[in-house]
Amino acid sequence: TLSAAGDITVNADIVSSTGSISVLAGNDVTLTTGADARTEGANSLGSIDVVAANGGSVVMSANSVLGSSNGAIRVLASQSIEVGVISTAANASVGSGLVSLTASGGSIVDAQNLGNANNTDAVVNVIASGLRLNAAIGIGQSINHLETTVASLSARATSGGIYLLETDGVTVSDVGLTVNRVKTDGSVSASTQTDATQSDLVTTAGNGSIVLTSTLGSIVLNDGTAAADNVAMSANGSGNILIQTLSAAGDITVNADIVSSTGSISVLA
């Protein structure tokens, strides 16, 4: 939509076998119950590019899916993102398999049981080889963590903190991606959008806490390249940090610093 007030409401599926999909709204993008955007043909490298501009949010229903076989998926909201299910190659042997979610003015939250006081929903929100998260306020909620199945991870937030529940092993490392932007002639020639490489799990303001838990795998904390500062996790001010593996075989390997100014740190393997 070209108008700054133009919303896009998706009430039924958007499908390409192996092509790329761009959903570009002047304001809100809403995917209602059961409405998906998919490019999931055999070995598809098609990317998905969703933008809600001018104060808009991306609101997925709890069971809506953004899915690619092997391509990158990028969601950019001027305000917030409610995540249903976003899925690409969890093992990117072919293609990118990367996901980037950016909430420039708000938070990135789990659309399933939004506000659930028990953090009990079992639906995995993001399945990817790598996940880049960046939010002006928070990622996940203390009462409802964002569920992931990813190999590599980076996140930035502020006062709302970072709350992630990983299903298996994860490495805190570099993540960046590029997607195709479909043009008005239907092509993607020389038309891309890039989210620069981001490293580490960091809250940059507001005493935001960080919680990273793995249910079945191990956690590895590496220093990334953006910036290369020998820090893997950093909580602002009095923000606390919890790193925890719940499996009896779940190890935690710390290859770079874990830092909080005045908060507490727990590393539980």
Side-chain angles (χ1 to χ4, degrees):
T1 58
L2 301 180
S3 166
D7 300 329
I8 296 177
T9 302
V10 183
N11 293 318
D13 292 351
I14 304 167
V15 178
S16 174
S17 180
T18 60
S20 294
I21 298 171
S22 292
V23 181
L24 312 176
N27 199 249
D28 292 332
V29 176
T30 302
L31 285 82
T32 61
T33 301
D36 305 333
R38 297 178 181 265
T39 172
E40 294 180 325
N43 298 317
S44 173
L45 297 177
S47 62
I48 297 177
D49 172 29
V50 179
V51 176
N54 300 302
S57 294
V58 175
V59 179
M60 301 177 66
S61 70
N63 66 347
S64 289
V65 176
L66 301 178
S68 175
S69 299
N70 298 286
I73 300 174
R74 176 180 185 259
V75 180
L76 170 62
S78 179
Q79 283 298 312
S80 294
I81 302 172
E82 293 183 17
V83 183
V85 176
I86 299 175
S87 177
T88 182
N91 179 4
S93 58
V94 179
S96 161
L98 300 171
V99 171
S100 177
L101 307 180
T102 303
S104 300
S107 296
I108 301 168
V109 296
D110 180 355
Q112 292 102 20
N113 295 326
L114 190 60
N116 172 27
N118 297 313
N119 193 33
T120 55
D121 78 86
V123 176
V124 177
N125 299 111
V126 181
I127 301 167
S129 64
L131 175 59
R132 180 188 190 274
L133 299 164
N134 193 301
I137 299 176
I139 297 168
Q141 300 169 292
S142 62
I143 57 173
N144 189 3
H145 298 186
L146 200 69
E147 290 90 7
T148 64
T149 301
V150 301
S152 58
L153 173 67
S154 174
R156 293 282 189 283
T158 62
S159 60
I162 299 169
Y163 298 93
L164 300 171
L165 179 61
E166 168 67 20
T167 63
D168 55 15
V170 64
T171 298
V172 174
S173 185
D174 291 346
V175 186
L177 61 69
T178 298
V179 296
N180 293 321
R181 171 67 53 87
V182 180
K183 300 188 292 187
T184 55
D185 66 359
S187 75
V188 295
S189 177
S191 180
T192 59
Q193 298 289 312
T194 297
D195 285 344
T197 297
Q198 177 182 278
S199 305
D200 312 330
L201 301 186
V202 180
T203 56
T204 59
N207 303 309
S209 294
I210 303 173
V211 175
L212 176 61
T213 303
S214 173
T215 56
L216 292 176
S218 297
I219 295 173
V220 178
L221 305 181
N222 289 336
D223 179 29
T225 64
D229 54 5
N230 198 41
V231 174
M233 298 181 72
S234 176
N236 174 262
S238 61
N240 301 312
I241 297 175
L242 170 62
I243 309 155
Q244 184 175 29
T245 55
L246 301 179
S247 166
D251 299 326
I252 298 175
T253 303
V254 182
N255 294 319
D257 292 351
I258 305 165
V259 178
S260 176
S261 180
T262 61
S264 296
I265 298 173
S266 294
V267 181
L268 311 177

